[in-house]
């Protein structure tokens, strides 16, 4: 097996770092996989009261689909919308210079809900490249609006198409290459509430993210220790274990997420003013 953060499971006792998965199908992506973070000493001395804490493990694809791509899609959706608004204003002025100016919201609602061919017909756009360009941009805009509930593949395809239309890439291949680079940078600098786990075992090697901001609890008796000891009372099974130093990094980051203290905005403003007050006022003659 290639590199993995996991180590072989030894014994039947549950331990911090054990990776568990739901028995049977579930639509809850936050409950399908998890890693136990309850301390070993609490488990060994039964201080946990029978309740074990775990954090969800999301497939990297699901994590990107929920926490990375929506922002990228919103960015190109806004830029493409601005482009369409400007085009509509320009086309209306060319036909009727005195026509009242439509609001941005009204234009976007019109373009987003009415078939693009009907829009260009209403604007009296003659056949030709400008008409085709507008229809292409409007159709891309409408697809971007719809991919919020679509698959990861749908989001990527719509994003790539819009990126080319906005002249931010030379071709779909170039746009896709740029997106891959951004994904690599993003995963390489995940926020403090997330930790990448590359592989769990030989079959599960597509990349997973421990999402530390959503801890959950499960009764210890609900976890099957081995595949041969599964009974009707079990809802999850243990099948892997994240080893050191990765489990130590995971628990350290988990602690930091909930130990962080946010200070009031007023304090932040006062801090800036205090810093500025140390510097004497500007005096031109001091530089002569």
């Amino acid at each position: 097996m290639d590199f993995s953060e996991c180590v072989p499971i030894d014994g039947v006792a549950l331990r911090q770092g054990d990776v568990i998965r739901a028995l049977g199908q579930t639509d809850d992506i936050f409950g399908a996989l998890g890693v136990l973070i309850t301390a070993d000493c609490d488990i060994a001395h039964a201080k946990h009261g029978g309740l074990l804490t775990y954090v969800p493990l999301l497939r990297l694809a699901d994590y990107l689909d929920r926490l990375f791509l929506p922002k990228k899609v919103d960015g190109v959706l806004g830029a493409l919308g601005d482009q369409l608004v400007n085009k509509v204003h320009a086309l209306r002025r060319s036909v009727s210079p005195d026509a009242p100016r439509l609001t941005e919201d009204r234009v976007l609602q019109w373009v987003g809900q009415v078939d693009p061919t009907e829009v260009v017909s209403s604007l009296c756009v003659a056949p030709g490249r400008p008409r085709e360009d507008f229809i292409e941009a409007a159709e891309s805009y409408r697809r971007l609006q719809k991919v919020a509930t679509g698959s990861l593949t749908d989001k990527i395809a719509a994003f790539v198409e819009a990126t080319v239309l906005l002249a931010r890439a030379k071709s779909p291949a170039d746009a896709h290459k740029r997106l891959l680079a951004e994904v690599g940078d993003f995963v390489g600098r995940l926020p403090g509430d997330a930790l990448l786990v590359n592989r769990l075992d030989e079959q599960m090697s597509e990349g997973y993210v421990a999402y530390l901001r959503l801890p959950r609890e499960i009764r210890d008796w609900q976890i099957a220790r081995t595949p041969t000891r599964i009974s009707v009372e079990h809802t999850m099974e243990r099948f892997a274990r994240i080893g050191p130093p990765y489990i130590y990094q995971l628990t350290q980051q988990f602690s930091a997420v909930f130990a962080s203290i946010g200070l009031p905005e007023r304090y932040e403003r006062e801090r800036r003013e205090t810093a500025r007050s140390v510097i004497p006022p500007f005096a031109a003659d001091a530089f002569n």
Side-chain angles (χ1 to χ4, degrees):
M1 183 173 65
D2 293 329
F3 168 82
S4 175
E5 296 85 351
C6 293
V7 296
I9 295 175
D10 54 343
V12 295
L14 294 172
R15 287 176 53 187
Q16 184 182 79
D18 281 349
V19 181
I20 57 178
R21 61 186 168 199
L23 292 168
Q25 295 294 324
T26 176
D27 294 329
D28 179 12
I29 66 170
F30 296 101
L33 281 169
V35 54
L36 297 181
I37 58 171
T38 301
D40 284 338
C41 61
D42 288 348
I43 297 175
H45 297 288
K47 294 180 180 179
H48 59 300
L51 279 175
L52 297 173
T53 302
Y54 71 94
V55 292
L57 277 173
L58 305 181
R59 291 190 315 124
L60 179 56
D62 289 331
Y63 183 82
L64 294 173
D65 189 32
R66 285 174 173 254
L67 297 170
F68 173 74
L69 269 177
K71 295 178 182 178
K72 303 296 295 181
V73 169
D74 285 345
V76 292
L77 180 65
L80 196 56
D82 291 341
Q83 188 181 92
L84 285 167
V85 168
N86 293 332
K87 286 184 177 182
V88 167
H89 290 327
L91 291 169
R92 293 184 80 240
R93 283 196 304 270
S94 66
V95 175
S96 179
D98 298 327
R101 185 180 178 86
L102 297 176
T103 66
E104 180 179 331
D105 288 344
R106 179 67 187 91
V107 172
L108 293 178
Q109 183 181 32
W110 186 27
V111 173
Q113 296 180 359
V114 178
D115 187 276
T117 56
E118 294 183 28
V119 174
V120 290
S121 295
S122 299
L123 293 170
C124 301
V125 182
R129 191 63 199 175
R131 180 188 179 95
E132 294 172 4
D133 288 346
F134 184 91
I135 292 175
E136 186 179 21
E139 289 177 341
S140 179
Y141 181 81
R142 288 158 65 88
R143 277 191 287 273
L144 282 168
Q145 285 185 310
K146 295 177 181 178
V147 295
T149 56
S151 67
L152 178 67
T153 302
D154 293 337
K155 288 185 178 70
I156 292 174
F159 173 81
V160 165
E161 178 187 48
T163 301
V164 175
L165 288 175
L166 290 167
R168 295 181 179 179
K170 299 176 183 178
S171 65
D174 181 40
H176 190 268
K177 181 180 178 181
R178 290 168 182 262
L179 179 61
L180 283 179
E182 291 186 49
V183 168
D185 289 342
F186 175 75
V187 175
R189 297 192 297 270
L190 286 175
D193 62 2
L195 179 72
L196 179 72
V197 179
N198 291 280
R199 293 173 179 82
L200 300 178
D201 61 22
E202 292 183 0
Q203 286 74 42
M204 304 181 71
S205 58
E206 56 187 306
Y208 303 85
V209 176
Y211 190 53
L212 310 177
R213 197 168 291 280
L214 195 64
R216 293 188 166 192
E217 291 186 331
I218 184 172
R219 295 286 180 183
D220 53 8
W221 51 263
Q222 291 180 289
I223 303 174
R225 272 58 164 177
T226 63
T228 58
R229 297 188 179 184
I230 296 176
S231 64
V232 293
E233 66 182 4
H234 295 137
T235 59
M236 304 190 84
E237 66 170 336
R238 176 182 65 163
F239 70 98
R241 175 178 294 149
I242 297 176
Y246 312 106
I247 187 58
Y248 303 147
Q249 179 66 32
L250 189 154
T251 53
Q252 183 182 60
Q253 285 185 215
F254 176 80
S255 299
V257 168
F258 293 96
S260 175
I261 300 174
L263 297 174
E265 185 179 340
R266 181 176 178 182
Y267 169 81
E268 303 290 349
R269 290 198 305 269
E270 292 294 331
R271 182 171 62 180
R272 288 192 292 271
E273 292 303 319
T274 300
R276 291 169 182 159
S277 69
V278 175
I279 307 299
F282 176 76
D285 55 358
F287 295 90
N288 295 330

